[in-house]
Amino acid sequence: MVRPGSLAARFQSLDAYAKTLDDFSVKTLSGGILTIIASVAIALLVGHEFMAYRRVDTLAELVVDGERMEKMHINLDVTFPRAPCMILGLDVMDSSGEQQVSLFQHMAKTRLSKDGSVIGLDESAKPTVPAVPAGKDGKPYCGSCYGGVEPENGCCNSCDDVHQAYKRRGWAFTDPDSIEQCVREGYVKTMQAQAGEGCRMRGFIEVNKVTGNAQILAGESIKHGSEYMHTYYDYMPHDYDFSHTIHRLSFGDEFSAQTNPLDGVTKKAHSMRAQFQYFTKIVGSEIRYLNGTVLRSNQYSATEFVKGDATASDTLKVLMSRRTPGFFIMFDISPMRVIYTENKRSLPSFLTSVCAIVGGIFTVARLVDGFVFRTERALQRKRESGKLA
């Protein structure tokens, strides 16, 4: 017991939760039923609140893209079942005037047989160091560059060295059979041996984040003065087309829940002159995770267009056209950026909701129980007095 007049007695007088002695409390059937209903309701609502507390919501915001001088990766995985790897080139041109040719530094080309099985990697786009014959009088061998721009060491010891020397000069590589190094390495025979094969290209290319296009063509691009000229040589296989399957096409790093509209697209060419064009609109994306990590990527929409894919009745017309067959990806950059921010309810918010649920349900249940109890007592008194039959 608390001594009257003490500090504890003063605190006791502030008690807002006056207690009822057990001798004066009555338990009823209706009260028990209401208690069970209230407990089940509390359990369901608290469970729902807990799930909402654990859930991570994503809020999207659209802002003007203020980034400048950005680079962007184009992630590409595409199969050409009727185009040999050795004849395929990959070039990029953009609105800044920059043109990049033979972008195979981060791309792998896999040779495929007619039935689609893997033959092996194609190394034609990567520099090799072939075995060279000994020079005269025991001196190191130094091959001629046949008029091309010589490398720093002044020697073109492989067919690829001569090829690159021709490119630096702006010449077309029209007659490899007249070049000693190419004859020794069997350059033309190796290329013609790939006739009827397919190719799968996987990897990425780095481009300026400006409007431009990436193109996969048969042949090669040669710089002539300030311009680039595309050419296809007679010694290359001629039985090919640009039928393809896009396994993956994305721009920048990928994130969860990202959808790429061109993934899984398959097109079949009815003519070797078919030109497939994909127009993409790229929107910058920024994902801000709860742990503070920020991922910058891109999303895109796409439309497609096919030129020169003629039926048999139009074959002559297509063959007479000067359209370059190939696979083109045109990309245009949107001035807007979408920012996704992960958001999660705080612990105080969750506890406040739980307290509101528990207190609210018990308060309502007590009111209902009191109403039912008073009604039952009133009916019982009338029944005992004989006023209720």
Side-chain angles (χ1 to χ4, degrees), residues 65-95:
D65 193 349
E67 298 294 332
R68 294 291 183 270
M69 304 300 293
E70 276 190 306
K71 292 289 186 178
M72 178 176 66
H73 284 182
I74 301 178
N75 306 302
L76 184 63
D77 184 356
V78 58
T79 294
F80 300 97
R82 287 182 45 78
C85 287
M86 204 168 180
I87 70 171
L88 295 180
L90 174 58
D91 306 333
V92 171
M93 295 182 292
D94 61 46
S95 58

Side-chain angles (χ1 to χ4, degrees), residues 19 138 146 257:
K19 313 303 185 293
Y146 294 87

Side-chain angles (χ1 to χ4, degrees), residues 86-87 102 124-125 144-146 148-149 151 155-176 179 181-182 185 187 191 219-222 231 233 235-236:
M86 204 168 180
I87 70 171
S102 299
S124 60
S144 170
C145 293
Y146 294 87
V149 178
C155 301
C156 293
N157 294 337
S158 68
C159 184
D160 184 67
D161 289 342
V162 180
H163 193 176
Q164 297 303 320
Y166 269 48
K167 282 186 176 182
R168 290 190 289 269
R169 183 70 71 185
W171 292 351
F173 201 56
T174 56
D175 190 14
I179 297 172
Q181 294 90 324
C182 296
E185 297 174 16
Y187 178 80
M191 181 171 291
E220 67 175 353
S221 296
I222 303 171
T231 183
Y233 303 119
Y235 56 81
M236 291 181 170

Side-chain angles (χ1 to χ4, degrees), residues 306-317:
V306 182
K307 294 181 179 179
D309 194 19
T311 58
S313 60
D314 298 325
T315 300
L316 180 61
K317 179 180 178 181

Side-chain angles (χ1 to χ4, degrees), residues 53 343-352:
Y53 166 69
N343 187 37
K344 184 180 178 182
R345 289 182 59 183
S346 64
L347 180 59
S349 175
F350 168 69
L351 295 178
T352 300

